[in-house]
Coordinates of all heavy atoms in Angstrom, one line a residue:
I170 N 50.4 24.9 -35.3 CA 50.5 26.3 -35.8 C 51.6 26.3 -36.9 O 51.5 26.9 -37.9 CB 50.8 27.3 -34.8 CG1 49.5 27.5 -34.0 CG2 51.2 28.7 -35.3 CD1 49.7 28.3 -32.7
G171 N 52.8 25.7 -36.5 CA 54.0 25.7 -37.4 C 53.7 24.9 -38.7 O 54.0 25.4 -39.8
R172 N 53.0 23.8 -38.6 CA 52.6 23.0 -39.8 C 51.7 23.9 -40.7 O 51.8 24.0 -41.9 CB 52.0 21.8 -39.5 CG 51.5 20.9 -40.7 CD 50.5 19.8 -40.4 NE 50.2 19.2 -41.6 CZ 49.4 19.7 -42.5 NH1 48.9 20.9 -42.4 NH2 49.1 18.9 -43.6
A173 N 50.6 24.6 -40.1 CA 49.7 25.4 -40.9 C 50.4 26.5 -41.5 O 50.1 26.9 -42.7 CB 48.6 25.9 -39.9
G174 N 51.4 27.1 -40.9 CA 52.1 28.2 -41.4 C 53.0 27.7 -42.7 O 53.2 28.4 -43.6
L175 N 53.7 26.6 -42.4 CA 54.5 26.0 -43.6 C 53.6 25.6 -44.8 O 53.9 25.8 -45.9 CB 55.2 24.8 -43.1 CG 56.5 25.3 -42.1 CD1 57.0 24.0 -41.6 CD2 57.5 26.2 -42.8
E176 N 52.4 25.1 -44.5 CA 51.4 24.8 -45.6 C 51.1 26.0 -46.3 O 51.0 26.1 -47.5 CB 50.2 24.1 -45.1 CG 49.2 23.8 -46.1 CD 47.9 23.2 -45.7 OE1 47.8 22.9 -44.4 OE2 47.0 23.1 -46.5
A177 N 50.8 27.2 -45.6 CA 50.5 28.4 -46.2 C 51.7 28.9 -47.2 O 51.5 29.4 -48.2 CB 50.1 29.5 -45.3
A178 N 52.9 28.7 -46.5 CA 54.1 29.1 -47.4 C 54.2 28.2 -48.7 O 54.4 28.8 -49.7 CB 55.3 28.8 -46.6
L179 N 53.9 26.9 -48.6 CA 54.0 26.1 -49.8 C 52.8 26.5 -50.8 O 52.9 26.4 -52.0 CB 53.9 24.7 -49.4 CG 55.2 24.2 -48.7 CD1 54.9 22.8 -48.0 CD2 56.4 24.1 -49.7
R180 N 51.7 26.8 -50.2 CA 50.6 27.3 -51.2 C 51.0 28.5 -51.9 O 50.7 28.6 -53.1 CB 49.3 27.6 -50.3 CG 48.6 26.3 -49.8 CD 47.2 26.6 -49.0 NE 46.6 25.4 -48.7 CZ 45.7 24.8 -49.6 NH1 45.4 25.5 -50.7 NH2 45.0 23.7 -49.3
A181 N 51.7 29.4 -51.2 CA 52.1 30.6 -52.0 C 53.1 30.2 -53.0 O 53.2 30.8 -54.1 CB 52.7 31.6 -50.9
Y182 N 54.1 29.2 -52.7 CA 55.1 28.8 -53.6 C 54.5 28.3 -54.9 O 54.9 28.5 -56.0 CB 56.0 27.8 -52.8 CG 57.1 27.3 -53.7 CD1 58.2 28.0 -54.0 CD2 56.9 26.0 -54.3 CE1 59.2 27.4 -54.8 CE2 57.9 25.4 -55.0 CZ 59.1 26.1 -55.3 OH 60.1 25.5 -56.1
D183 N 53.4 27.5 -54.5 CA 52.7 26.8 -55.7 C 51.8 27.7 -56.5 O 51.4 27.4 -57.6 CB 51.9 25.6 -55.2 CG 52.6 24.5 -54.7 OD1 53.8 24.4 -55.0 OD2 52.1 23.7 -53.9
G184 N 51.4 28.8 -55.9 CA 50.3 29.7 -56.5 C 48.9 29.2 -56.2 O 48.1 29.6 -56.9
R185 N 48.8 28.4 -55.2 CA 47.4 28.0 -54.8 C 46.8 29.0 -53.9 O 47.4 29.8 -53.2 CB 47.5 26.6 -54.1 CG 47.9 25.5 -55.0 CD 47.9 24.1 -54.2 NE 49.0 24.1 -53.3 CZ 49.1 23.5 -52.1 NH1 48.0 22.9 -51.7 NH2 50.3 23.4 -51.4
P186 N 45.4 29.0 -53.9 CA 44.7 29.9 -52.9 C 45.1 29.6 -51.5 O 45.4 28.4 -51.2 CB 43.2 29.6 -53.2 CG 43.2 29.0 -54.6 CD 44.4 28.2 -54.6
G187 N 45.1 30.6 -50.7 CA 45.3 30.3 -49.2 C 46.8 30.5 -48.8 O 47.2 30.2 -47.7
G188 N 47.6 30.9 -49.7 CA 49.0 31.0 -49.5 C 49.4 32.4 -48.8 O 48.5 33.3 -48.9
S189 N 50.5 32.5 -48.3 CA 51.0 33.7 -47.7 C 52.5 34.0 -48.2 O 53.3 33.2 -47.9 CB 51.0 33.7 -46.2 OG 51.7 34.6 -45.6
A190 N 52.6 35.1 -48.9 CA 54.0 35.4 -49.3 C 54.8 35.8 -48.1 O 56.1 35.5 -48.2 CB 53.9 36.7 -50.2
A191 N 54.2 36.4 -47.1 CA 55.0 36.7 -45.9 C 55.6 35.4 -45.3 O 56.8 35.3 -44.9 CB 54.2 37.5 -45.0
L192 N 54.7 34.4 -45.1 CA 55.2 33.1 -44.5 C 56.1 32.4 -45.4 O 57.0 31.8 -44.9 CB 53.9 32.3 -44.2 CG 53.1 32.8 -43.0 CD1 51.8 32.0 -42.9 CD2 53.9 32.8 -41.7
L193 N 55.9 32.5 -46.8 CA 56.9 31.9 -47.7 C 58.3 32.5 -47.5 O 59.3 31.8 -47.4 CB 56.5 32.1 -49.1 CG 57.5 31.6 -50.2 CD1 57.8 30.1 -50.0 CD2 56.9 32.0 -51.5
A194 N 58.4 33.8 -47.3 CA 59.7 34.5 -47.1 C 60.3 34.0 -45.7 O 61.5 33.7 -45.7 CB 59.5 35.9 -47.2
R195 N 59.4 34.0 -44.7 CA 59.9 33.5 -43.5 C 60.3 32.0 -43.4 O 61.4 31.7 -42.8 CB 58.9 33.8 -42.3 CG 58.7 35.2 -42.0 CD 57.6 35.4 -40.9 NE 57.3 36.9 -40.8 CZ 58.1 37.7 -40.0 NH1 59.1 37.1 -39.3 NH2 57.7 38.9 -39.8
A196 N 59.6 31.2 -44.2 CA 60.0 29.8 -44.3 C 61.3 29.7 -44.9 O 62.2 28.8 -44.5 CB 58.9 29.0 -45.0
E197 N 61.6 30.4 -46.0 CA 62.9 30.3 -46.8 C 64.0 30.8 -45.9 O 65.1 30.3 -46.0 CB 62.7 30.9 -48.1 CG 61.8 30.2 -49.1 CD 61.9 30.5 -50.4 OE1 62.0 31.8 -50.6 OE2 61.7 29.7 -51.3
A198 N 63.8 31.8 -45.1 CA 64.7 32.4 -44.3 C 65.1 31.4 -43.1 O 66.3 31.3 -42.7 CB 64.3 33.7 -43.6
V199 N 64.2 30.5 -42.7 CA 64.5 29.6 -41.6 C 65.0 28.2 -42.2 O 66.0 27.7 -41.6 CB 63.2 29.3 -40.8 CG1 63.5 28.2 -39.8 CG2 62.8 30.5 -40.1
F200 N 64.4 27.8 -43.2 CA 64.7 26.4 -43.7 C 65.4 26.3 -45.0 O 65.8 25.3 -45.5 CB 63.4 25.6 -43.9 CG 62.7 25.4 -42.6 CD1 61.5 26.0 -42.2 CD2 63.1 24.5 -41.6 CE1 60.9 25.9 -41.0 CE2 62.5 24.3 -40.3 CZ 61.4 24.9 -40.1
G201 N 65.5 27.5 -45.7 CA 66.2 27.5 -47.1 C 65.0 27.3 -48.2 O 63.8 27.5 -47.8
P202 N 65.3 27.0 -49.4 CA 64.2 26.9 -50.4 C 63.2 25.9 -50.0 O 63.5 24.8 -49.7 CB 65.1 26.4 -51.6 CG 66.4 26.9 -51.4 CD 66.6 26.9 -50.0
V203 N 62.0 26.3 -50.1 CA 60.9 25.5 -49.6 C 60.7 24.2 -50.4 O 60.1 23.2 -49.9 CB 59.5 26.2 -49.5 CG1 59.6 27.4 -48.5 CG2 59.1 26.8 -50.8
A204 N 61.2 24.3 -51.6 CA 61.1 23.0 -52.4 C 61.9 21.8 -51.7 O 61.5 20.6 -51.9 CB 61.6 23.2 -53.8
G205 N 62.8 22.1 -50.9 CA 63.6 21.2 -50.1 C 63.0 20.9 -48.8 O 63.5 20.0 -48.0
L206 N 61.9 21.4 -48.4 CA 61.2 21.2 -47.1 C 61.0 19.7 -46.7 O 61.3 19.2 -45.6 CB 59.9 21.9 -46.9 CG 60.0 23.2 -46.1 CD1 58.7 24.0 -46.1 CD2 60.6 23.1 -44.7
P207 N 60.5 18.8 -47.7 CA 60.2 17.5 -47.4 C 61.5 16.7 -46.9 O 61.5 15.9 -46.0 CB 59.7 17.0 -48.7 CG 58.9 18.1 -49.3 CD 59.8 19.3 -49.0
G208 N 62.6 16.9 -47.7 CA 63.9 16.3 -47.3 C 64.4 16.9 -46.0 O 65.1 16.1 -45.3
V209 N 64.0 18.2 -45.5 CA 64.5 18.7 -44.3 C 63.7 18.1 -43.2 O 64.3 17.7 -42.1 CB 64.4 20.1 -44.3 CG1 64.6 20.7 -42.9 CG2 65.4 20.7 -45.3
L210 N 62.4 17.9 -43.4 CA 61.4 17.6 -42.3 C 61.2 16.1 -42.1 O 61.2 15.5 -41.0 CB 60.1 18.3 -42.6 CG 59.0 18.2 -41.5 CD1 59.5 18.7 -40.2 CD2 57.8 18.7 -41.9
Y211 N 60.9 15.5 -43.2 CA 60.4 14.0 -43.0 C 61.3 13.1 -42.4 O 60.9 12.2 -41.6 CB 60.0 13.4 -44.4 CG 58.7 14.2 -45.0 CD1 58.4 14.1 -46.3 CD2 57.8 14.9 -44.2 CE1 57.3 14.8 -46.8 CE2 56.7 15.6 -44.6 CZ 56.5 15.5 -46.0 OH 55.3 16.1 -46.5
P212 N 62.7 13.1 -42.7 CA 63.6 12.2 -42.0 C 63.9 12.5 -40.6 O 64.5 11.6 -39.8 CB 64.8 12.3 -42.8 CG 64.5 13.1 -44.0 CD 63.4 14.0 -43.8
R213 N 63.4 13.6 -40.0 CA 63.7 14.0 -38.6 C 62.9 13.3 -37.6 O 61.7 13.2 -37.8 CB 63.5 15.5 -38.5 CG 64.3 16.4 -39.3 CD 65.8 16.6 -38.6 NE 65.8 17.2 -37.4 CZ 66.0 18.6 -37.2 NH1 66.2 19.3 -38.3 NH2 65.9 19.1 -36.0
P214 N 63.6 12.7 -36.6 CA 62.8 12.0 -35.5 C 62.0 13.0 -34.7 O 61.2 12.6 -33.9 CB 63.9 11.3 -34.7 CG 65.2 12.1 -35.0 CD 65.0 12.6 -36.4
D215 N 62.5 14.3 -34.7 CA 61.9 15.3 -33.9 C 60.9 16.3 -34.7 O 60.9 17.5 -34.5 CB 62.9 16.2 -33.1 CG 63.9 16.8 -34.2 OD1 64.0 16.4 -35.2 OD2 64.6 17.7 -33.7
R216 N 60.2 15.6 -35.6 CA 59.4 16.5 -36.5 C 58.4 17.5 -35.7 O 58.3 18.6 -36.2 CB 58.6 15.6 -37.4 CG 59.4 14.9 -38.6 CD 58.5 14.2 -39.5 NE 57.8 13.0 -38.9 CZ 58.4 11.8 -38.7 NH1 59.7 11.6 -39.2 NH2 57.7 10.9 -38.2
P217 N 57.7 17.0 -34.6 CA 56.9 18.0 -34.0 C 57.6 19.2 -33.5 O 57.1 20.4 -33.7 CB 56.3 17.2 -32.8 CG 56.5 15.8 -33.2 CD 57.6 15.6 -34.1
A218 N 58.8 19.0 -32.9 CA 59.7 20.1 -32.5 C 60.1 21.1 -33.6 O 60.1 22.3 -33.7 CB 60.8 19.7 -31.8
V219 N 60.4 20.5 -34.8 CA 60.8 21.3 -35.9 C 59.5 22.0 -36.5 O 59.7 23.2 -36.7 CB 61.3 20.3 -37.1 CG1 61.6 21.1 -38.4 CG2 62.6 19.6 -36.6

Side-chain angles (χ1 to χ4, degrees):
I170 291 170
R172 183 198 176 283
L175 291 172
E176 181 186 350
L179 290 168
R180 285 180 173 273
Y182 178 79
D183 291 342
R185 290 179 288 150
S189 164
L192 290 173
L193 174 58
R195 290 182 183 273
E197 293 194 321
V199 173
F200 296 107
V203 294
L206 261 178
V209 170
L210 181 63
Y211 292 159
R213 293 282 293 264
D215 58 343
R216 285 186 297 274
V219 177

